[in-house]
């Protein structure tokens, strides 16, 4: 993230664009619960994705919030641009956009409740694993709600 002192119009634009073209996901992965464990457990982690045919709006979001911008292809083979933000960058973006979000506001609020639990490079406690599994379930439920 380059700067967070953007004009309110730019932040409101970014929120509106994200509301329409973005996605807040609780992706899952399987990892070992401890370094010596042979038992894998599911963990959920935050991913914010924005997909668009036109690269320019995603470049603006990338300048504002960081992330990884790449070219992909949709199911029909048409080229599309994808911006993804993980972990802290995703949290920062959601915190800044939250006051202006409408469609994704409840998902962003849920994602931000897990803010203190996302600490890269740290092994998860059993309590954290259960909390992330619950968070993942709640996020999926919010995505099924039509407003």
């Amino acid at each position: 993230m380059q700067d967070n002192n953007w004009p309110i119009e730019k932040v409101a634009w970014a929120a509106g664009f994200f509301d329409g073209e973005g996605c807040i996901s609780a992706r899952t992965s399987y990892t070992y619960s401890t370094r010596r464990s042979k038992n894998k457990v599911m963990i959920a982690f935050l991913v914010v994705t924005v997909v668009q045919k036109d690269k320019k709006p995603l470049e603006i979001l990338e300048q504002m919030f960081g992330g990884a911008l790449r070219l992909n292809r949709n199911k029909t083979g048409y080229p599309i641009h994808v911006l993804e933000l993980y972990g802290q960058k995703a949290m920062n973006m959601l915190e800044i956009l939250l006051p202006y979000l409408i469609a994704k506001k409840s998902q962003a609020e849920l994602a931000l409740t897990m803010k203190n639990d996302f600490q890269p490079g740290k092994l998860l406690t059993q309590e954290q694993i259960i909390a992330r599994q619950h968070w993942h379930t709640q996020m999926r439920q919010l995505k099924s709600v039509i407003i």
Side-chain angles (χ1 to χ4, degrees), residues 38-93:
K38 293 184 180 181
N39 299 323
K40 286 191 172 187
V41 294
M42 182 193 83
I43 60 165
F45 57 97
L46 177 65
V47 181
V48 169
T49 308
V50 190
V51 179
Q52 178 73 356
K53 289 191 257 183
D54 186 358
K55 187 178 182 181
K56 192 154 237 27
L58 299 183
E59 289 175 331
I60 294 169
L61 291 174
E62 182 185 32
Q63 289 170 357
M64 291 175 74
F65 303 110
L69 181 57
R70 64 179 171 25
L71 181 63
N72 206 351
R73 297 205 176 265
N74 66 11
K75 293 177 184 177
T76 62
Y78 191 85
I80 55 171
H81 299 278
V82 179
L83 176 65
E84 288 188 319
L85 293 90
Y86 298 89
Q88 191 58 51
K89 285 184 181 182
M91 291 284 184
N92 291 342
M93 179 180 177

Side-chain angles (χ1 to χ4, degrees), residues 75-129:
K75 293 177 184 177
T76 62
Y78 191 85
I80 55 171
H81 299 278
V82 179
L83 176 65
E84 288 188 319
L85 293 90
Y86 298 89
Q88 191 58 51
K89 285 184 181 182
M91 291 284 184
N92 291 342
M93 179 180 177
L94 294 177
E95 280 183 324
I96 292 167
L97 298 184
L98 185 64
Y100 307 97
L101 292 174
I102 298 169
K104 292 185 173 51
K105 190 173 194 92
S106 60
Q107 293 175 33
E109 288 170 340
L110 175 60
L112 291 170
T113 65
M114 296 297 289
K115 182 176 182 173
N116 295 330
D117 190 44
F118 287 98
Q119 299 172 353
K122 299 224 177 189
L123 292 175
L124 299 173
T125 66
Q126 187 63 33
E127 185 177 290
Q128 289 172 314
I129 291 167

